[in-house]
Amino acid sequence: MSSHREAPGISKDPVADNTDTYAFVSDGNTVTLITSYIPVEAPAGGPNFYEFGDDVRYEIHVDNDGDGKPNVTYRFEFTTVNTNPNTFLYNTGPITALDSNTWNRRQTYTVKKIVRRPGRRPRVIPLGEGLASPPCNVGLRSTPDYASLAASAVQTLAGGELAFAGQRAESFYVDLGSVFDLGTLRPFQGAHLIRTAAADGVDSLAQVNVHTIAIQVPIADVTRDGSVPTDPLSPNAVIGVWGAAYRQEGLLRGPGGGPSGEFVQVSRLGNPLFNEVIVPIPEKDRWNAVGPDQDKDFAKYVARPELAALLPVLYPDVFENLRAYDKDRVDLLAILLTGIPRDVIDGFQNFTGTTQADELRLNVAIPPSANPHRLGLIGGDLAGFPNGRRVGDDVVTIELRAVAGATIPLVDGTFTPDAAADPLNGIEDGTFPPVRDFLDVFPYLGVPYSGYDVPAA
Protein backbone atom coordinates (compact mmCIF):
# COMPACT_ATOMS: atom_id res chain seq x y z
CA MET A 1 0.00 0.00 0.00
CA SER A 2 1.11 3.59 -0.40
CA SER A 3 1.98 3.84 3.29
CA HIS A 4 -0.61 1.69 5.00
CA ARG A 5 0.91 -0.50 7.74
CA GLU A 6 4.30 0.11 6.14
CA ALA A 7 6.45 -0.30 9.27
CA PRO A 8 6.29 -2.61 12.31
CA GLY A 9 5.86 0.21 14.84
CA ILE A 10 3.25 2.37 13.15
CA SER A 11 1.19 -0.65 12.06
CA LYS A 12 0.24 -0.91 15.76
CA ASP A 13 -0.83 2.75 15.87
CA PRO A 14 -3.27 3.31 12.98
CA VAL A 15 -4.61 6.64 14.32
CA ALA A 16 -1.16 8.16 13.65
CA ASP A 17 -0.41 6.15 10.50
CA ASN A 18 -0.02 8.48 7.50
CA THR A 19 -1.44 6.51 4.56
CA ASP A 20 -1.18 8.91 1.60
CA THR A 21 -0.02 12.42 0.78
CA TYR A 22 -1.12 14.51 -2.20
CA ALA A 23 -0.01 17.90 -3.52
CA PHE A 24 -1.26 19.54 -6.70
CA VAL A 25 -2.06 22.92 -8.19
CA SER A 26 -5.81 23.40 -7.86
CA ASP A 27 -6.02 26.52 -10.02
CA GLY A 28 -3.82 29.44 -11.02
CA ASN A 29 -3.63 30.79 -7.50
CA THR A 30 -3.95 27.88 -5.05
CA VAL A 31 -2.34 24.58 -4.21
CA THR A 32 -4.09 21.69 -2.44
CA LEU A 33 -2.25 19.64 0.19
CA ILE A 34 -3.83 16.42 1.46
CA THR A 35 -2.72 13.77 3.91
CA SER A 36 -4.74 10.76 5.09
CA TYR A 37 -4.56 8.55 8.18
CA ILE A 38 -6.08 5.38 9.70
CA PRO A 39 -5.60 2.74 7.01
CA VAL A 40 -8.28 0.33 5.79
CA GLU A 41 -11.23 1.58 7.86
CA ALA A 42 -14.09 -0.92 7.75
CA PRO A 43 -17.18 1.23 7.01
CA ALA A 44 -19.29 -0.78 9.48
CA GLY A 45 -16.88 0.10 12.29
CA GLY A 46 -19.42 0.86 15.02
CA PRO A 47 -20.34 1.45 17.69
CA ASN A 48 -16.94 3.12 18.20
CA PHE A 49 -16.46 4.62 14.78
CA TYR A 50 -13.09 5.85 13.54
CA GLU A 51 -11.78 9.28 14.49
CA PHE A 52 -8.61 11.37 14.67
CA GLY A 53 -6.54 11.15 17.85
CA ASP A 54 -6.81 13.92 20.43
CA ASP A 55 -3.31 12.91 21.49
CA VAL A 56 -1.83 13.09 17.98
CA ARG A 57 -0.46 16.20 16.31
CA TYR A 58 -1.01 16.07 12.55
CA GLU A 59 1.09 18.26 10.28
CA ILE A 60 1.56 18.98 6.57
CA HIS A 61 5.01 20.37 5.82
CA VAL A 62 6.31 22.47 2.94
CA ASP A 63 10.02 22.83 2.18
CA ASN A 64 10.66 25.69 -0.25
CA ASP A 65 14.43 26.10 0.03
CA GLY A 66 15.54 22.52 -0.58
CA ASP A 67 17.14 21.66 2.76
CA GLY A 68 14.72 18.86 3.70
CA LYS A 69 13.30 20.89 6.60
CA PRO A 70 9.90 22.60 6.77
CA ASN A 71 9.57 26.30 6.01
CA VAL A 72 5.77 26.28 6.27
CA THR A 73 3.74 23.87 8.38
CA TYR A 74 -0.02 23.45 8.71
CA ARG A 75 -0.78 21.89 12.09
CA PHE A 76 -4.10 20.19 12.93
CA GLU A 77 -5.05 19.22 16.50
CA PHE A 78 -8.33 17.60 17.56
CA THR A 79 -10.67 17.62 20.56
CA THR A 80 -13.39 15.01 21.13
CA VAL A 81 -16.51 15.42 23.28
CA ASN A 82 -19.44 13.21 24.23
CA THR A 83 -22.66 15.21 24.30
CA ASN A 84 -24.76 12.44 25.88
CA PRO A 85 -23.07 10.57 28.75
CA ASN A 86 -25.94 8.08 29.11
CA THR A 87 -25.73 6.16 25.86
CA PHE A 88 -23.34 3.74 24.22
CA LEU A 89 -24.50 4.93 20.80
CA TYR A 90 -22.59 7.11 18.35
CA ASN A 91 -25.91 8.75 17.49
CA THR A 92 -29.46 8.48 18.85
CA GLY A 93 -31.23 9.60 15.68
CA PRO A 94 -30.51 10.97 12.21
CA ILE A 95 -27.56 13.36 11.96
CA THR A 96 -28.72 16.04 9.55
CA ALA A 97 -26.37 18.87 10.51
CA LEU A 98 -22.99 19.31 12.17
CA ASP A 99 -24.77 20.53 15.32
CA SER A 100 -27.50 17.86 15.45
CA ASN A 101 -28.25 17.02 19.09
CA THR A 102 -28.62 13.36 18.08
CA TRP A 103 -24.88 13.09 17.40
CA ASN A 104 -23.06 12.03 20.54
CA ARG A 105 -19.39 11.63 19.62
CA ARG A 106 -18.04 14.82 18.02
CA GLN A 107 -14.67 16.18 17.04
CA THR A 108 -13.51 19.74 16.50
CA TYR A 109 -10.07 20.91 15.49
CA THR A 110 -7.71 23.85 15.37
CA VAL A 111 -5.46 24.83 12.48
CA LYS A 112 -2.23 26.76 12.87
CA LYS A 113 0.27 27.88 10.29
CA ILE A 114 3.91 27.85 11.36
CA VAL A 115 6.39 29.83 9.29
CA ARG A 116 10.12 29.24 9.73
CA ARG A 117 12.76 31.55 8.33
CA PRO A 118 16.55 31.23 8.75
CA GLY A 119 17.80 33.05 11.83
CA ARG A 120 14.31 33.79 13.15
CA ARG A 121 12.04 32.17 15.70
CA PRO A 122 9.12 30.24 14.19
CA ARG A 123 6.03 32.37 13.71
CA VAL A 124 2.78 30.66 14.75
CA ILE A 125 -0.33 32.01 13.02
CA PRO A 126 -3.78 30.76 14.20
CA LEU A 127 -6.02 30.02 11.22
CA GLY A 128 -9.06 28.51 12.90
CA GLU A 129 -10.34 26.87 16.08
CA GLY A 130 -13.43 24.94 17.09
CA LEU A 131 -13.87 23.77 13.49
CA ALA A 132 -16.28 20.87 13.08
CA SER A 133 -15.22 17.54 11.65
CA PRO A 134 -18.14 15.60 10.11
CA PRO A 135 -19.31 12.27 11.53
CA CYS A 136 -18.46 8.97 9.92
CA ASN A 137 -20.86 7.72 7.26
CA VAL A 138 -22.92 5.38 9.40
CA GLY A 139 -25.80 4.55 7.05
CA LEU A 140 -28.93 5.79 5.33
CA ARG A 141 -30.88 6.31 8.58
CA SER A 142 -28.14 7.79 10.74
CA THR A 143 -26.52 9.97 8.05
CA PRO A 144 -29.27 10.27 5.40
CA ASP A 145 -27.62 12.95 3.22
CA TYR A 146 -23.97 12.35 3.94
CA ALA A 147 -22.55 14.12 0.89
CA SER A 148 -24.21 17.41 1.84
CA LEU A 149 -23.39 16.95 5.51
CA ALA A 150 -19.69 16.46 4.76
CA ALA A 151 -19.66 19.35 2.29
CA SER A 152 -20.89 21.62 5.08
CA ALA A 153 -17.71 20.71 7.00
CA VAL A 154 -15.48 22.47 4.45
CA GLN A 155 -14.16 25.41 6.46
CA THR A 156 -12.88 28.81 5.34
CA LEU A 157 -9.90 29.80 7.48
CA ALA A 158 -8.63 33.17 8.62
CA GLY A 159 -6.32 33.62 5.64
CA GLY A 160 -8.91 32.55 3.08
CA GLU A 161 -7.63 28.96 3.03
CA LEU A 162 -10.07 26.06 2.74
CA ALA A 163 -9.80 23.17 5.21
CA PHE A 164 -11.46 19.81 5.71
CA ALA A 165 -10.80 17.09 8.25
CA GLY A 166 -12.94 13.98 8.30
CA GLN A 167 -13.72 10.59 6.82
CA ARG A 168 -13.27 10.03 3.09
CA ALA A 169 -13.28 7.08 0.71
CA GLU A 170 -9.85 5.55 0.32
CA SER A 171 -8.31 7.06 -2.81
CA PHE A 172 -5.34 4.73 -3.26
CA TYR A 173 -5.90 1.70 -5.47
CA VAL A 174 -3.75 -1.43 -5.63
CA ASP A 175 -4.04 -5.22 -5.83
CA LEU A 176 -2.62 -5.93 -2.38
CA GLY A 177 -3.60 -9.57 -2.32
CA SER A 178 -1.59 -10.17 -5.46
CA VAL A 179 1.36 -7.82 -5.07
CA PHE A 180 2.35 -9.15 -1.65
CA ASP A 181 1.98 -12.75 -2.83
CA LEU A 182 5.53 -12.96 -4.15
CA GLY A 183 5.20 -9.90 -6.37
CA THR A 184 2.41 -11.25 -8.53
CA LEU A 185 0.79 -8.93 -11.07
CA ARG A 186 -2.38 -10.73 -12.13
CA PRO A 187 -2.45 -9.48 -15.75
CA PHE A 188 1.14 -10.77 -16.19
CA GLN A 189 1.13 -13.80 -13.88
CA GLY A 190 1.45 -16.11 -16.86
CA ALA A 191 5.09 -14.96 -16.97
CA HIS A 192 5.63 -15.28 -13.21
CA LEU A 193 8.07 -17.81 -11.77
CA ILE A 194 5.03 -19.65 -10.33
CA ARG A 195 2.71 -19.38 -13.30
CA THR A 196 -1.07 -19.14 -13.37
CA ALA A 197 -3.47 -17.87 -15.99
CA ALA A 198 -3.61 -14.12 -16.52
CA ALA A 199 -6.47 -12.37 -14.73
CA ASP A 200 -7.85 -8.93 -14.04
CA GLY A 201 -6.46 -7.02 -11.07
CA VAL A 202 -8.45 -6.88 -7.83
CA ASP A 203 -8.57 -3.53 -6.05
CA SER A 204 -8.13 -4.49 -2.41
CA LEU A 205 -9.04 -1.00 -1.17
CA ALA A 206 -12.19 -0.51 -3.23
CA GLN A 207 -14.62 -0.29 -0.29
CA VAL A 208 -12.69 1.03 2.68
CA ASN A 209 -12.27 4.51 4.16
CA VAL A 210 -9.59 6.73 5.67
CA HIS A 211 -9.54 9.93 7.70
CA THR A 212 -8.31 12.85 5.63
CA ILE A 213 -6.85 16.27 6.37
CA ALA A 214 -6.94 18.65 3.43
CA ILE A 215 -6.06 22.30 3.03
CA GLN A 216 -6.14 24.55 -0.02
CA VAL A 217 -3.81 27.54 0.29
CA PRO A 218 -2.61 30.45 -1.84
CA ILE A 219 0.47 29.52 -3.85
CA ALA A 220 2.20 32.67 -2.62
CA ASP A 221 1.93 31.38 0.97
CA VAL A 222 4.22 28.42 0.30
CA THR A 223 6.80 29.58 -2.26
CA ARG A 224 10.30 30.66 -1.31
CA ASP A 225 9.89 34.30 -2.29
CA GLY A 226 6.15 34.70 -1.66
CA SER A 227 5.37 34.94 -5.37
CA VAL A 228 3.10 33.03 -7.75
CA PRO A 229 5.70 31.74 -10.22
CA THR A 230 4.86 31.49 -13.91
CA ASP A 231 8.20 30.15 -15.21
CA PRO A 232 8.43 26.37 -14.66
CA LEU A 233 12.22 26.55 -14.87
CA SER A 234 12.54 28.97 -11.96
CA PRO A 235 13.92 27.47 -8.72
CA ASN A 236 11.26 29.45 -6.83
CA ALA A 237 8.55 27.43 -8.59
CA VAL A 238 9.27 24.17 -6.74
CA ILE A 239 8.08 23.14 -3.28
CA GLY A 240 8.55 19.88 -1.39
CA VAL A 241 5.62 18.45 0.60
CA TRP A 242 5.18 15.67 3.14
CA GLY A 243 2.77 14.73 5.90
CA ALA A 244 3.69 13.64 9.41
CA ALA A 245 2.18 12.66 12.76
CA TYR A 246 3.57 13.23 16.24
CA ARG A 247 2.96 11.78 19.69
CA GLN A 248 4.29 12.85 23.06
CA GLU A 249 7.30 10.93 24.32
CA GLY A 250 5.73 9.49 27.46
CA LEU A 251 2.49 7.71 28.31
CA LEU A 252 1.41 6.94 31.86
CA ARG A 253 -1.31 4.30 31.95
CA GLY A 254 -3.95 3.98 34.65
CA PRO A 255 -6.21 6.47 36.47
CA GLY A 256 -4.95 10.01 36.16
CA GLY A 257 -2.44 9.06 33.52
CA GLY A 258 -1.98 10.27 29.99
CA PRO A 259 0.62 11.46 27.49
CA SER A 260 3.44 13.72 28.58
CA GLY A 261 6.70 15.17 27.31
CA GLU A 262 7.82 16.59 23.99
CA PHE A 263 6.14 15.65 20.72
CA VAL A 264 8.15 13.24 18.58
CA GLN A 265 7.54 12.11 15.02
CA VAL A 266 6.03 8.64 14.65
CA SER A 267 4.95 8.66 10.99
CA ARG A 268 5.72 10.54 7.78
CA LEU A 269 5.09 10.26 4.06
CA GLY A 270 6.18 12.10 0.95
CA ASN A 271 6.42 9.88 -2.13
CA PRO A 272 4.03 6.91 -2.18
CA LEU A 273 5.56 3.51 -1.40
CA PHE A 274 8.95 4.89 -0.29
CA ASN A 275 9.06 3.31 3.16
CA GLU A 276 6.72 0.51 2.05
CA VAL A 277 8.81 -0.89 -0.79
CA ILE A 278 12.28 0.66 -0.66
CA VAL A 279 13.35 0.71 3.01
CA PRO A 280 14.20 -2.70 4.55
CA ILE A 281 12.26 -3.87 7.62
CA PRO A 282 14.92 -3.16 10.30
CA GLU A 283 15.17 0.48 9.11
CA LYS A 284 11.47 1.27 8.69
CA ASP A 285 10.70 2.52 12.20
CA ARG A 286 13.79 4.74 12.18
CA TRP A 287 12.75 6.20 8.82
CA ASN A 288 9.38 7.14 10.35
CA ALA A 289 11.12 8.84 13.28
CA VAL A 290 13.50 11.15 11.38
CA GLY A 291 12.93 14.05 9.02
CA PRO A 292 13.52 14.10 5.25
CA ASP A 293 16.78 15.95 5.84
CA GLN A 294 18.18 12.62 7.10
CA ASP A 295 17.26 10.64 4.01
CA LYS A 296 20.82 10.51 2.75
CA ASP A 297 21.07 7.58 5.17
CA PHE A 298 18.50 5.69 3.07
CA ALA A 299 19.70 6.74 -0.39
CA LYS A 300 21.59 3.47 -0.89
CA TYR A 301 18.27 1.60 -0.96
CA VAL A 302 17.05 3.90 -3.72
CA ALA A 303 20.27 3.56 -5.71
CA ARG A 304 20.02 -0.25 -5.59
CA PRO A 305 16.32 -1.03 -5.01
CA GLU A 306 15.49 -4.56 -3.95
CA LEU A 307 12.46 -4.69 -6.24
CA ALA A 308 14.60 -4.03 -9.32
CA ALA A 309 16.66 -7.10 -8.42
CA LEU A 310 13.57 -9.22 -7.72
CA LEU A 311 11.71 -8.52 -10.96
CA PRO A 312 14.12 -10.53 -13.18
CA VAL A 313 13.91 -13.42 -10.72
CA LEU A 314 10.12 -13.40 -10.39
CA TYR A 315 9.58 -12.90 -14.13
CA PRO A 316 12.24 -15.02 -15.89
CA ASP A 317 13.17 -13.97 -19.44
CA VAL A 318 11.08 -10.77 -19.13
CA PHE A 319 13.60 -8.33 -17.63
CA GLU A 320 16.89 -9.37 -19.16
CA ASN A 321 18.10 -5.80 -19.78
CA LEU A 322 17.21 -4.83 -16.23
CA ARG A 323 19.02 -7.92 -14.92
CA ALA A 324 22.18 -6.87 -16.72
CA TYR A 325 22.08 -3.25 -15.52
CA ASP A 326 24.66 -2.91 -12.76
CA LYS A 327 24.79 0.83 -12.11
CA ASP A 328 23.31 2.95 -9.38
CA ARG A 329 19.80 4.09 -10.24
CA VAL A 330 20.52 7.75 -10.83
CA ASP A 331 17.02 8.13 -12.28
CA LEU A 332 15.32 7.00 -9.07
CA LEU A 333 17.66 9.03 -6.88
CA ALA A 334 16.55 12.12 -8.80
CA ILE A 335 12.84 11.30 -8.94
CA LEU A 336 12.52 10.44 -5.25
CA LEU A 337 15.26 12.34 -3.42
CA THR A 338 16.28 15.53 -5.24
CA GLY A 339 13.72 16.16 -7.94
CA ILE A 340 14.32 16.12 -11.68
CA PRO A 341 16.76 18.82 -12.86
CA ARG A 342 16.13 21.00 -15.90
CA ASP A 343 17.14 19.76 -19.37
CA VAL A 344 16.05 16.18 -18.62
CA ILE A 345 12.41 16.70 -19.69
CA ASP A 346 11.73 19.57 -22.06
CA GLY A 347 10.19 22.55 -20.28
CA PHE A 348 10.11 20.80 -16.90
CA GLN A 349 12.01 20.51 -13.64
CA ASN A 350 11.10 19.96 -10.00
CA PHE A 351 14.63 20.05 -8.63
CA THR A 352 15.06 21.26 -5.05
CA GLY A 353 18.84 20.94 -4.77
CA THR A 354 21.40 18.39 -3.73
CA THR A 355 19.95 17.57 -0.29
CA GLN A 356 18.48 14.09 -0.57
CA ALA A 357 15.00 14.11 0.97
CA ASP A 358 11.82 12.13 0.40
CA GLU A 359 9.31 14.84 -0.51
CA LEU A 360 6.54 15.20 -3.06
CA ARG A 361 8.11 17.84 -5.29
CA LEU A 362 5.61 20.09 -6.98
CA ASN A 363 6.31 22.70 -9.64
CA VAL A 364 3.56 25.24 -8.93
CA ALA A 365 4.17 27.11 -12.21
CA ILE A 366 2.73 24.18 -14.16
CA PRO A 367 -1.06 24.60 -14.35
CA PRO A 368 -3.57 21.76 -13.94
CA SER A 369 -3.87 19.59 -17.03
CA ALA A 370 -6.94 19.99 -19.21
CA ASN A 371 -6.66 16.25 -19.98
CA PRO A 372 -5.03 14.51 -17.01
CA HIS A 373 -3.17 11.31 -17.84
CA ARG A 374 -3.19 8.57 -15.23
CA LEU A 375 0.55 8.00 -15.80
CA GLY A 376 1.57 11.59 -15.08
CA LEU A 377 5.06 12.44 -16.30
CA ILE A 378 5.73 9.13 -18.05
CA GLY A 379 2.41 9.62 -19.85
CA GLY A 380 3.47 13.08 -21.04
CA ASP A 381 1.37 14.97 -18.46
CA LEU A 382 3.66 17.46 -16.70
CA ALA A 383 1.04 18.17 -14.03
CA GLY A 384 1.01 14.58 -12.74
CA PHE A 385 3.09 12.36 -10.46
CA PRO A 386 5.98 12.60 -9.72
CA ASN A 387 5.31 16.30 -10.17
CA GLY A 388 3.33 16.36 -6.94
CA ARG A 389 0.53 13.82 -6.84
CA ARG A 390 -3.13 14.07 -7.80
CA VAL A 391 -5.78 11.87 -6.20
CA GLY A 392 -6.33 9.82 -9.36
CA ASP A 393 -2.71 9.32 -10.46
CA ASP A 394 -1.87 5.64 -11.01
CA VAL A 395 1.20 5.74 -8.80
CA VAL A 396 1.57 1.95 -8.53
CA THR A 397 1.91 1.58 -12.28
CA ILE A 398 4.16 4.65 -12.59
CA GLU A 399 6.53 3.42 -9.91
CA LEU A 400 6.49 -0.19 -11.12
CA ARG A 401 7.53 0.88 -14.62
CA ALA A 402 10.12 3.31 -13.28
CA VAL A 403 11.73 0.66 -11.07
CA ALA A 404 11.58 -1.78 -14.01
CA GLY A 405 13.74 0.62 -16.01
CA ALA A 406 11.38 2.94 -17.92
CA THR A 407 13.10 6.07 -16.60
CA ILE A 408 16.74 4.96 -16.87
CA PRO A 409 17.11 6.39 -20.41
CA LEU A 410 16.42 9.86 -19.02
CA VAL A 411 19.89 9.75 -17.45
CA ASP A 412 21.63 6.89 -19.29
CA GLY A 413 21.16 6.77 -23.06
CA THR A 414 23.00 3.46 -23.31
CA PHE A 415 20.15 1.56 -21.66
CA THR A 416 17.21 0.07 -23.54
CA PRO A 417 14.24 -0.79 -21.31
CA ASP A 418 12.71 -4.23 -21.56
CA ALA A 419 9.33 -4.34 -23.32
CA ALA A 420 7.64 -4.93 -19.96
CA ALA A 421 9.01 -1.57 -18.76
CA ASP A 422 7.51 0.42 -21.61
CA PRO A 423 6.31 3.73 -20.11
CA LEU A 424 2.85 3.51 -21.69
CA ASN A 425 2.26 -0.23 -22.09
CA GLY A 426 4.43 -2.01 -19.51
CA ILE A 427 3.63 -3.96 -16.39
CA GLU A 428 0.89 -2.93 -13.97
CA ASP A 429 -1.31 -4.49 -11.32
CA GLY A 430 -4.48 -4.08 -13.36
CA THR A 431 -6.53 -1.94 -10.97
CA PHE A 432 -7.02 1.01 -13.33
CA PRO A 433 -9.55 2.50 -13.74
CA PRO A 434 -10.30 2.45 -10.02
CA VAL A 435 -13.86 2.02 -8.76
CA ARG A 436 -13.89 5.48 -7.18
CA ASP A 437 -15.99 8.61 -7.36
CA PHE A 438 -13.48 11.43 -6.90
CA LEU A 439 -14.87 14.92 -6.43
CA ASP A 440 -14.21 17.77 -8.85
CA VAL A 441 -14.05 20.23 -5.96
CA PHE A 442 -12.25 20.48 -2.63
CA PRO A 443 -11.51 18.18 -0.77
CA TYR A 444 -11.44 16.03 -3.95
CA LEU A 445 -11.49 12.61 -2.25
CA GLY A 446 -14.81 10.83 -2.58
CA VAL A 447 -17.70 10.38 -0.15
CA PRO A 448 -16.84 7.57 2.30
CA TYR A 449 -18.60 4.24 2.12
CA SER A 450 -21.35 3.72 4.69
CA GLY A 451 -21.46 0.92 7.21
CA TYR A 452 -25.00 0.01 6.12
CA ASP A 453 -23.98 -0.44 2.48
CA VAL A 454 -20.66 -2.21 3.13
CA PRO A 455 -20.92 -4.78 5.94
CA ALA A 456 -17.87 -5.39 8.11
CA ALA A 457 -15.61 -8.16 6.86
Side-chain angles (χ1 to χ4, degrees):
M1 290 179 267
S2 179
S3 186
H4 306 51
R5 298 177 53 80
E6 86 288 348
I10 201 63
S11 67
K12 302 176 181 69
D13 187 10
V15 171
D17 189 353
N18 189 171
T19 66
D20 280 288
T21 298
Y22 302 90
F24 53 92
V25 175
S26 6
D27 56 44
N29 296 305
T30 65
V31 62
T32 296
L33 312 175
I34 301 173
T35 186
S36 295
Y37 297 84
I38 315 180
V40 199
E41 294 182 7
N48 295 297
F49 288 91
Y50 300 92
E51 61 191 20
F52 294 104
D54 290 2
D55 53 352
V56 179
R57 178 178 284 174
Y58 302 92
E59 296 185 345
I60 300 175
H61 298 297
V62 178
D63 169 20
N64 58 32
D65 61 8
D67 64 357
K69 299 178 181 180
N71 299 105
V72 181
T73 294
Y74 295 96
R75 175 180 294 168
F76 291 71
E77 295 177 290
F78 292 82
T79 301
T80 307
V81 297
N82 292 309
T83 59
N84 182 349
N86 300 312
T87 180
F88 71 91
L89 293 167
Y90 186 73
N91 58 292
T92 54
I95 305 172
T96 57
L98 296 177
D99 59 357
S100 288
N101 59 15
T102 55
W103 180 20
N104 179 44
R105 183 79 173 174
R106 307 178 188 213
Q107 285 197 309
T108 58
Y109 62 99
T110 65
V111 185
K112 297 176 183 176
K113 177 182 175 181
I114 303 163
V115 180
R116 300 175 179 87
R117 294 288 183 259
R120 303 181 186 178
R121 297 183 63 182
R123 182 184 174 202
V124 180
I125 305 167
L127 296 180
E129 61 179 327
L131 306 173
S133 180
C136 290
N137 192 0
V138 179
L140 60 89
R141 295 168 183 82
S142 293
T143 47
D145 187 2
Y146 191 86
S148 296
L149 181 65
S152 71
V154 173
Q155 313 282 349
T156 301
L157 304 182
E161 305 92 344
L162 295 181
F164 175 87
Q167 191 178 51
R168 294 280 89 187
E170 169 66 80
S171 52
F172 187 56
Y173 48 98
V174 63
D175 189 345
L176 288 173
S178 177
V179 167
F180 287 117
D181 184 16
L182 292 181
T184 306
L185 304 169
R186 289 184 216 258
F188 301 89
Q189 61 190 11
H192 194 276
L193 184 66
I194 305 172
R195 300 188 178 191
T196 51
D200 293 334
V202 177
D203 184 356
S204 307
L205 303 177
Q207 290 188 308
V208 299
N209 298 322
V210 290
H211 264 60
T212 294
I213 291 169
I215 188 165
Q216 189 172 98
V217 304
I219 288 174
D221 283 6
V222 293
T223 54
R224 183 185 314 183
D225 60 353
S227 70
V228 181
T230 57
D231 178 7
L233 299 182
S234 168
N236 292 330
V238 182
I239 61 172
V241 178
W242 70 99
Y246 303 80
R247 285 191 178 277
Q248 289 174 274
E249 291 176 303
L251 175 62
L252 179 63
R253 299 187 184 276
S260 63
E262 297 294 320
F263 278 91
V264 295
Q265 182 179 289
V266 296
S267 175
R268 68 167 164 123
L269 176 62
N271 285 289
L273 300 169
F274 192 103
N275 197 13
E276 189 97 24
V277 173
I278 292 176
V279 180
I281 289 175
E283 298 272 30
K284 288 181 180 293
D285 288 338
R286 185 169 77 89
W287 186 91
N288 265 333
V290 301
D293 61 314
Q294 301 299 309
D295 283 340
K296 63 181 182 301
D297 294 345
F298 305 94
K300 59 187 176 183
Y301 306 121
V302 179
R304 300 278 175 153
E306 182 183 10
L307 181 58
L310 286 173
L311 283 173
V313 176
L314 294 174
Y315 292 87
D317 305 321
V318 174
F319 293 102
E320 291 306 302
N321 293 348
L322 181 65
R323 184 195 302 273
Y325 194 73
D326 191 32
K327 301 178 184 178
D328 283 351
R329 293 296 301 273
V330 176
D331 57 321
L332 299 181
L333 288 166
I335 291 168
L336 297 176
L337 291 179
T338 64
I340 301 170
R342 60 190 302 168
D343 300 326
V344 173
I345 298 173
D346 188 37
F348 175 80
Q349 59 90 24
N350 64 355
F351 185 65
T352 53
T354 58
T355 297
Q356 294 178 313
D358 172 41
E359 303 173 351
L360 272 181
R361 289 171 172 84
L362 175 64
N363 189 317
V364 298
I366 295 175
S369 174
N371 297 291
H373 196 293
R374 61 137 173 167
L375 298 177
L377 276 182
I378 67 170
D381 180 359
L382 299 184
F385 179 77
N387 183 33
R389 180 186 176 189
R390 301 167 300 199
V391 296
D393 285 343
D394 190 354
V395 295
V396 171
T397 298
I398 296 168
E399 292 195 344
L400 268 174
R401 293 179 186 176
V403 170
T407 53
I408 294 176
L410 292 175
V411 297
D412 185 350
T414 67
F415 179 78
T416 301
D418 298 286
D422 183 84
L424 297 178
N425 299 297
I427 55 170
E428 59 183 292
D429 72 340
T431 56
F432 187 89
V435 184
R436 299 287 192 282
D437 291 319
F438 297 119
L439 303 182
D440 293 329
V441 296
F442 184 84
Y444 299 103
L445 274 64
V447 174
Y449 301 97
S450 83
Y452 177 84
D453 294 315
V454 182

